[in-house]
Amino acid sequence: MGANFLSLATSALTASSVSWNATPFNPASVPLAVRTPYLSAWLPQGAGTALNGAWPQFWTGSTLGWAGYIRVDGATYTFLGDPVVPGAKSAVQKSLEFTSTQSIFVMTAGPVDINVNFLSPVEPTDFLKQSIPFSYLALSAVSNDGGSHTVSVYTDISAEWVSGDDSLTVNWTTTTGNILTHQVMLENQELYTEHNDHIQHGAAYYSTQNSSSVTYQTGQDAIVRAQFINNGVLANTEDINFRAVSNDWPVFAFAHDLGTVSTTASVPVIYTVGHVRDPAIQYIVANDVYQPRSIYFWSAYSSVADLISDFVGDYFAALGRAQAFDRKVQSDASAISSNYAAVVALSVRQAFGALEFTLSKKSDGSWNADDILIFLKEISSDGNVNTVDVMMPAWPIFLYANPPLAKYLLLGLLEYQATGQYPNAWAAHDLGKSYPNATGHNAGKDEAMPLEECGNMLIMVLSYTQKSYDTSLITQYTDLLNQWTGYLIAEALIPTNQISTDDFAGALANQTNLAIKGVIGIQAMSIISGILGDTVNQQNYSSIVQRYVPQLLDYATSSDGLHLTLNYGNESSWGLSYNLYADKLLGTNVFPESVYDMQTAWYATVVNTYGVPLDTRHTYTKSDWELWTAAIMTNTATRDMFIDSVYKYAADGESNKPLGDWYETYDGTVYGFRARPVVGGHLALLAL
């Protein structure tokens, strides 16, 4: 084992020094409200920033104003955000815990502790619930000194939740009734348009259950917050001076009087925050027509108000479902290791937070419940729609959580290419250059990754079919699948100079890992053909693979027999052969076990402080490919070496950005990526 690999499993525990208890560790950025590409709020925790030590941020790093105060016996403490208003002290963070769906803080405000639970439900088997672009904040208080205390709480959001440009004008309303809701939106809406990755269409909503103990107020941040600090209640007034986001910073606030709090925790106060737009996506169908698509929940609700009412009322049931999901993930991942369970828990919301579930309408205006498509934003890199080589690394989480997720992610790509509008012989790179515009590439000018994407599509389609026992995709799109297989037969054995999914590493001819993917893709089509009863193609494709594999291994194995090379003939080169994972996932058994044994032995000799480099051109790596590789190691020591390396990186306190998948193996420096859904690949060991 490499000399740099010393106590990776334990050294991360002391990588950052904080004053609170952290379970399982302190992540770089804590997910707070993470449901969609546009509802994505995080605490930039870094080496030890408390919940009230910084403003929550959008995944890009722009501020999302979200403030919280607790008033105890007339003294006010800040527990959320970083508002600077005279008269408030700072609560002291006591603990942080995160699970797959929750981030739970305990803050001490003098003689009272406040429990702050951010719940972003993950409901993979219920598309309607998973499609709801809302998240929960729940607050409860308890005495920590044995006495009784008078307590009230306050929260607000700013207009920063609706635009990436703070100079733009917003307007807002407050709706009263059984549910209190603040709605804020841009005055000038731009359909299907982003600014700094914020959508410029739709509205943000902040809501709570109404009662006699609740007050509300909208207005300038300092004024509204001072009203609570000084009085413990809000004025039930609305500022109607609509203005720019940054012009006297309008905020939208609620306050709750909890009454007397003692040693029994108070009943939680529930807030919901969300962002809704309609239509949500434009999608290319036949004849270059753009179809407007709406979020799935609209099939069950006629208004946002009805949706919010149900969502607020569902909190305790949603919490129960979330806890059950958390327990399942924790149990499954802990069977591998506690460090693995920690990494997986941090990855789940991030992966699901890139998805939107959509429906179309029939010609009579009714919802077409049979026309489900899931769209994925390539967050923080290209911003493309349903990027095939982003879906592929994320794929394990969808297979693990609910295989039909995989079907509806693939379907948009398959339907589009089946129209014949995409002109290339290989599989498309994505469904559209800029989310939320799934407008295709009829000119064929998408980023060219021909071997990469053909292999990916065949592997993903077969893996879905195997996990679901549903043959609808392979039956309907047989011609496309055969077309892409033909491309692989012609090109996979000796790959031309081209890029792979790791495009930042540059183009390279004769890439071993691409050849591996291509050959497995051909064998995948052999299996598909067998399922369809096409024994001619089944046998033909399989015989081609049987010819290719010995040649590939001859070209790609170093002369000393110690490892596969990065590219043919480059004796000193090597890389993560993560594409072998598909051979195990599909059960294709294309490559002999000796190859896995060879790679397992080799990686243990080249590990750095934070993992094994992606390849010999650089010393950086990617966390998704580290854990794909972990899944194919033939001994637990090397498997755990990869897992513990990623754990150490995730817990090192060197970044304050949502988990980045691309980083330096020597010092953990994060490269440009953050918050990307590819962390779904961290569940690679659970999908096998």
Side-chain angles (χ1 to χ4, degrees), residues 580-599:
L580 288 168
Y581 175 78
D583 198 24
K584 297 297 187 182
L585 178 68
L586 302 177
T588 40
N589 300 316
V590 165
F591 291 93
E593 196 68 11
S594 59
V595 172
Y596 296 90
D597 290 335
M598 174 177 67
Q599 295 299 89

Side-chain angles (χ1 to χ4, degrees), residues 64-81:
L64 295 175
W66 200 357
Y69 293 109
I70 179 170
R71 185 176 167 92
V72 180
D73 299 333
T76 303
Y77 302 79
T78 307
F79 70 83
L80 169 61

Side-chain angles (χ1 to χ4, degrees), residues 321-345:
R321 294 191 301 271
Q323 291 169 336
F325 181 77
D326 290 343
R327 286 192 298 270
K328 173 176 169 47
V329 175
Q330 177 70 18
S331 175
D332 291 347
S334 294
I336 294 165
S337 75
S338 59
N339 283 355
Y340 184 63
V343 171
V344 165

Side-chain angles (χ1 to χ4, degrees), residues 600-685:
T600 299
W602 176 253
Y603 292 138
T605 70
V606 292
V607 65
N608 293 330
T609 305
Y610 289 91
V612 177
L614 183 63
D615 62 54
T616 42
R617 290 174 291 179
H618 308 276
T619 55
Y620 55 60
T621 197
K622 291 191 77 267
S623 62
D624 47 351
W625 300 142
E626 292 279 300
L627 294 186
W628 273 46
T629 307
I632 59 172
M633 295 294 92
T634 58
N635 66 57
T636 56
T638 311
R639 180 201 72 180
D640 290 347
M641 178 193 81
F642 279 101
I643 292 169
D644 295 343
S645 297
V646 174
Y647 174 89
K648 181 179 182 181
Y649 156 69
D652 71 0
E654 297 298 320
S655 168
N656 66 357
K657 302 174 180 66
L659 186 59
D661 54 285
W662 178 24
Y663 62 92
E664 176 57 54
T665 60
Y666 279 114
D667 61 11
T669 298
V670 182
Y671 286 83
F673 297 163
R674 62 175 77 175
R676 299 206 317 153
V678 300
V679 298
H682 295 163
L683 281 76
L685 290 88

Side-chain angles (χ1 to χ4, degrees), residues 130-181:
Q130 184 60 40
S131 76
I132 295 173
F134 281 81
S135 190
Y136 295 104
L137 166 61
L139 306 176
S140 63
V142 64
S143 170
N144 61 33
D145 68 354
S148 296
H149 304 279
T150 301
V151 177
S152 54
V153 294
Y154 164 104
T155 66
D156 70 45
I157 65 166
S158 72
E160 290 158 299
W161 290 70
V162 299
S163 178
D165 183 349
D166 292 344
S167 70
L168 297 180
T169 299
V170 291
N171 57 44
W172 54 84
T173 60
T174 300
T175 305
T176 59
N178 291 333
I179 303 292
L180 287 169
T181 295

Side-chain angles (χ1 to χ4, degrees), residues 252-387:
F252 314 96
F254 298 116
H256 287 74
D257 182 357
L258 303 187
T260 300
V261 170
S262 59
T263 54
T264 300
S266 62
V267 175
V269 169
I270 311 303
Y271 304 92
T272 66
V273 62
H275 191 286
V276 179
R277 69 194 193 282
D278 190 57
I281 302 279
Q282 58 176 343
Y283 170 64
I284 187 169
V285 294
N287 303 312
D288 202 20
V289 172
Y290 293 172
Q291 175 193 75
R293 298 187 65 88
S294 297
I295 301 300
Y296 189 99
F297 76 78
W298 284 111
S299 63
Y301 295 97
S302 58
S303 69
V304 177
D306 288 345
L307 170 65
I308 291 172
S309 179
D310 270 11
F311 192 71
V312 171
D314 191 44
Y315 171 74
F316 291 103
L319 178 61
R321 294 191 301 271
Q323 291 169 336
F325 181 77
D326 290 343
R327 286 192 298 270
K328 173 176 169 47
V329 175
Q330 177 70 18
S331 175
D332 291 347
S334 294
I336 294 165
S337 75
S338 59
N339 283 355
Y340 184 63
V343 171
V344 165
L346 185 60
S347 306
V348 171
R349 277 172 286 179
Q350 181 167 319
F352 276 92
L355 305 183
E356 295 191 295
F357 294 65
T358 71
L359 293 173
S360 64
K361 285 186 175 179
K362 299 177 182 177
S363 57
D364 64 1
S366 63
W367 295 108
N368 186 354
D370 295 325
D371 182 23
I372 303 168
L373 295 179
I374 300 175
F375 293 94
L376 174 148
K377 179 175 178 177
E378 184 184 340
I379 287 176
S380 97
S381 34
D382 284 346
N384 300 156
V385 185
N386 286 45
T387 310

